[in-house]
Amino acid sequence: MSIFQGKYHLLINPKSAGGSTGRSWSELQSLIKQQLGEFTYEFTDGPGDAKRLATRALANKPDVLVIVGGDGTVSEAINGVFDAPAKQRRTPIAILNQGTGGDFCRTLGVPTDLNLALQT
């Protein structure tokens, strides 16, 4: 179980990892729930969607915003965080790397193994 006991909200790019994130969502969802407990989530639907969804999610004051996708999804969502009011930008951000390249995640040291990333 995670050390956090708050509200998690996940922004998921189902097309990440060559579409395997969307195809395997039920298995991923189960694994994430085992580690984090209950959470809410939304799927992105196209370019710019992660930005819009991140801004909206922060208005609902999750304890942690979790971005599930690759570098492009992370970049868009972070831009959405910066569009949110300053007070809402204090929400911690977590990343579950589901990208094909993962340069940004590799630079940050985000594990590519989902189990390890969830434990971290």
Side-chain angles (χ1 to χ4, degrees), residues 20 39 42 109:
S20 71
F39 59 88
E42 296 176 278

Side-chain angles (χ1 to χ4, degrees), residues 76-91:
E76 276 190 24
I78 295 301
N79 283 324
V81 169
F82 283 112
D83 281 352
K87 194 176 210 180
Q88 294 171 1
R89 289 186 219 146
R90 295 184 186 132
T91 301

